[in-house]
Amino acid sequence: MPKYYARTFLPWVLLAVVSGVDVRAGALTGLAAALALLAHDLRRGRHADSLILEISTTAFLATLTVAAFAAPGSPPMGYGASLAIGWLGVTAWVTLLVGRPFTAGIGRRQVSAEIAATTAFRDINRVLTAVWAASFTVMAAVLGCVQYWSPDDTWLLVAVKITGFTLPAVVTARYPESVRRRHLTRHGAPSPEPKPEPEPEPNSKLEPKSKPAPEPEPESGPAISLDPEPSSR
């Protein structure tokens, strides 16, 4: 799952990096990456509920690209980073409010249909979506403040973005496993069936060897002489 999020946020990374040189180039590069990723997922047969972030990203970057070329020097262009993250925050909150958290569609790629239908799966994804939504909201607010008071502080902007993406990514990677361990502790994990003990093999050194049966002795009878009997005269 962490690999999925890294792939999904690639257009936003390109937007942030390239926009440092030119806003129009950054918007266009991010849009190209978003379209390529979305087309690739659609060709693989992904359902729309697992592509919420991709669809939202493409829509925002398309709007941003049009605005960047139409009015590159307009005041909103100076707040591109905070607007982009704010858009992600709105997307996450909306999916949570309508009862379809965006992380659930992503999680269904990793589990079976039986697990995806459980209450625990839905509860986990509500928590994960709320964590991402809160992180996006806080990050957008902080970026807006930095862009207002210190717009040339590139390192601070980068640090805010890294922190804002890393924290929810760590929670996403660890929280489901933590819930699973608590569930097993509460209800008890099934103990494995004991394996039957193997029968001991006979030890030739400890068991006495059987003695061969004695050969039968010849029966006693009259002695037979091999010398010729003397002739009687």
Side-chain angles (χ1 to χ4, degrees):
M1 191 175 290
K3 292 182 180 179
Y4 165 81
Y5 287 101
R7 176 180 176 273
T8 301
F9 293 130
L10 177 62
W12 301 98
V13 174
L14 295 175
L15 170 66
V17 173
V18 182
S19 292
V21 179
D22 184 80
V23 175
R24 290 170 295 184
L28 193 59
T29 303
L31 177 60
L35 288 171
L37 292 175
L38 181 59
H40 180 264
D41 287 329
L42 290 175
R43 283 197 302 269
R44 296 181 63 184
R46 301 294 188 190
H47 297 289
D49 64 343
S50 65
L51 299 173
I52 293 175
L53 281 184
E54 287 86 349
I55 295 172
S56 177
T57 296
T58 304
F60 177 83
L61 291 176
T63 305
L64 182 64
T65 301
V66 172
F69 279 91
S74 60
M77 291 298 100
Y79 295 89
S82 55
L83 290 175
I85 302 302
W87 176 272
L88 286 176
V90 171
T91 302
W93 285 121
V94 169
T95 64
L96 192 62
L97 290 175
V98 300
R100 299 180 67 86
F102 77 89
T103 57
I106 302 169
R108 289 191 186 96
R109 302 182 184 184
Q110 313 291 330
V111 299
S112 63
E114 291 78 9
I115 295 178
T118 61
T119 303
F121 179 83
R122 293 191 293 270
D123 291 342
I124 288 173
N125 281 283
R126 277 194 289 267
V127 172
L128 294 180
T129 299
V131 169
W132 280 101
S135 179
F136 290 148
T137 303
V138 173
M139 184 166 38
V142 174
L143 287 173
C145 293
V146 174
Q147 289 177 310
Y148 180 79
W149 280 296
S150 184
D152 297 327
D153 196 341
T154 305
W155 289 109
L156 182 57
L157 291 171
V158 172
V160 172
K161 293 175 185 177
I162 292 175
T163 304
F165 282 112
T166 301
L167 292 179
V170 171
V171 174
T172 301
R174 297 184 178 181
Y175 180 72
E177 180 62 22
S178 174
V179 172
R180 189 186 72 84
R181 286 198 302 266
R182 287 202 304 268
H183 177 79
L184 293 178
T185 302
R186 187 180 307 161
H187 298 281
S191 57
E193 297 181 359
K195 296 180 180 180
E197 297 182 0
E199 296 182 0
E201 297 180 358
N203 193 339
S204 59
K205 294 182 179 180
L206 298 179
E207 294 184 0
K209 295 181 179 180
S210 56
K211 296 180 180 181
E215 296 180 359
E217 297 180 359
E219 295 180 358
S220 58
I224 300 176
S225 174
L226 298 178
D227 296 336
E229 295 181 359
S231 57
S232 57
R233 291 183 181 180

